Amino acid sequence: MTRPTTPRTSTPRTTAPRTSALRAAGRTASRPGRPSALRAPEATRSNALHAGAWWLWALGLATAASRTANPLLLALLVGVAGYVVAARRTDAPWARSYAAFVRLGLAVLVVRLLFSVLLGSPVPGSHPLFTLPEVPLPGWAAGIRIGGRVTAEQLVFALYDGAKLATLLICVGAANALANPARLLKSLPGALYEAGVAVVVAMTFAPNMVADAARLRTARRLRGRPAGGFGALLRIGLPVLEGALERSVAVAASMDARGYGRTAQVPPLVRHTTTALTLGGLLGVCAGSYGLLATAGAGYGLPLLAAGLATAVGGLWLGGRRSVRTRYRPDRWGVRAWLVAGSGAAVATLMAVADTVDPGALHPGVVPLTAPALPLWPAAGVLLGLLPAWITPVPPAGESGP
């Protein structure tokens, strides 16, 4: 039996060229007047910025903050860090911790002012504001007072000191909000892998708890139940604690399944040499860093820091021989990573040079009490920290991190 056939009509094959033309037109219309080479690409797993570059950038800003007490420069550093975070952070739970670091910095500033008011200050002042009842202390507590006269000079000095510490915390918060802790852990040397796991778990524990608390409060409000007050805090705290414990058990099980803690057998001489090099290098790094941050230690700080880094790198390389882990698709340190890390280093270097050339502009005096001025070229150097806001890949909307 023969199946009837229907005649097939031939159609002109113009679909592919038309589709290509429509796609090209859509790309052109989506980017009017801007060439694609000047736009930062959208972040993917293959082109995401190395997490270590974000930390080096933030540490550069923090180093610059440690070299000045000028509140205008400190406010500019906070503004630079906040702008980059707003432009390049994702929607992941660990990326929402920047606001918590800002609140922590403000709390540190308030506590520093309260301590200055209650415990006094060695800064002399000629502009008294008010006087608190002074508590008499025994003779062995000479030099310490509780209460007494509060002057404008001591409050301004405490404000400058607290603002410096708050800026350091905010810069660290910027790195915590921008750098993916899991990708940072993957890039650590093998010798630091176990310590890095502990740090990453600690860094992600608090943001996840904050996200759980916000989700439970929203659920209570949707059900018409009060979301504030001490009673609501108790009802929310138990589910948050339960979720944290369940997450901890799941993390421990996954780490054990992946062979966490297994080490290779190495000779005792290698182990002892690794320990000596690592500890000696870290001590050298600490001493060199102190020398760089101190006023009179810049001469020996840099050579000691370089020697400590070289020794620590040698120890870490030897210590990595005990690690049996492998890396899957390691992150690449590309041109953008060099530019981001270099911008932070440039900010720190220019601030250190400004502290040497014109220390009065970076450390405004409080006796006599004068208004701080904004030094122009150190401020322009701080603005170099805005470079990551334009050259790093743009996180996709609604994405929880590449």
Side-chain angles (χ1 to χ4, degrees), residues 117-134:
V117 170
L118 297 177
L119 302 179
S121 174
V123 177
S126 58
H127 296 81
L129 298 178
F130 53 89
T131 303
L132 296 176
E134 188 170 355

Side-chain angles (χ1 to χ4, degrees), residues 1-344:
M1 185 174 180
T2 305
R3 179 179 297 176
T5 58
T6 57
R8 300 178 62 182
T9 59
S10 61
T11 58
R13 302 179 63 181
T14 58
T15 305
R18 178 181 296 178
T19 304
S20 302
L22 289 175
R23 289 176 180 173
R27 287 195 297 266
T28 305
S30 62
R31 292 179 255 190
R34 298 186 64 181
S36 59
L38 299 180
R39 290 172 58 94
E42 187 173 288
T44 60
R45 181 174 291 274
S46 60
N47 69 350
L49 191 71
H50 198 284
W54 285 123
W55 273 101
L56 291 177
W57 167 80
L59 290 177
L61 296 186
T63 304
S66 68
R67 305 293 296 189
T68 179
N70 191 318
L72 300 179
L73 290 176
L74 293 175
L76 189 59
L77 285 168
V78 172
V80 167
Y83 182 83
V84 175
V85 169
R88 289 299 183 264
R89 73 173 176 179
T90 62
D91 295 331
W94 43 265
R96 304 170 191 168
S97 60
Y98 181 72
F101 277 89
V102 173
R103 289 192 291 268
L104 180 61
L106 293 177
V108 167
L109 181 60
V110 172
V111 169
R112 180 66 180 88
L113 290 173
L114 288 178
F115 277 8
S116 177
V117 170
L118 297 177
L119 302 179
S121 174
V123 177
S126 58
H127 296 81
L129 298 178
F130 53 89
T131 303
L132 296 176
E134 188 170 355
V135 178
L137 297 176
W140 53 266
I144 302 175
R145 70 177 178 87
I146 300 177
R149 190 181 67 162
V150 178
T151 62
E153 286 82 358
Q154 78 177 65
L155 284 184
V156 172
F157 177 79
L159 178 65
Y160 290 171
D161 197 21
K164 179 188 294 187
L165 183 55
T167 306
L168 291 173
L169 290 173
I170 290 173
C171 292
V172 173
N176 193 33
L178 292 170
N180 190 332
R183 299 178 75 93
L184 182 63
L185 174 64
K186 188 171 65 172
S187 303
L188 283 178
L192 298 178
Y193 181 69
E194 296 181 3
V197 169
V199 173
V200 168
V201 170
M203 290 171 58
T204 56
F205 183 76
N208 285 326
M209 287 189 65
V210 172
D212 289 344
R215 178 175 52 82
L216 291 172
R217 291 183 62 185
T218 303
R220 288 184 64 86
R221 283 196 297 265
L222 291 176
R223 294 186 179 98
R225 299 175 182 176
F230 186 72
L233 180 62
L234 292 178
R235 294 182 179 89
I236 292 174
L238 185 59
V240 169
L241 181 60
E242 181 183 1
L245 291 176
E246 290 179 354
R247 191 180 298 110
S248 301
V249 172
V251 169
S254 64
M255 290 167 61
D256 185 69
R258 289 171 171 83
Y260 176 75
R262 276 75 166 177
T263 57
Q265 295 295 330
V266 295
L269 180 60
V270 175
R271 290 202 306 268
H272 299 328
T273 306
T274 300
T275 303
L277 289 177
T278 305
L279 290 179
L282 292 180
L283 289 176
V285 168
C286 292
S289 301
Y290 177 79
L292 288 178
L293 296 177
T295 304
Y300 69 86
L302 187 59
L304 193 57
L305 178 62
L309 284 175
T311 306
V313 167
L316 293 178
W317 178 76
L318 284 178
R321 298 176 61 181
R322 299 180 66 241
S323 177
V324 294
R325 72 188 183 99
T326 59
R327 283 197 180 103
Y328 174 67
R329 297 172 66 182
D331 293 338
R332 292 177 297 178
W333 189 280
V335 177
R336 288 189 173 89
W338 282 112
L339 291 176
V340 170
S343 65

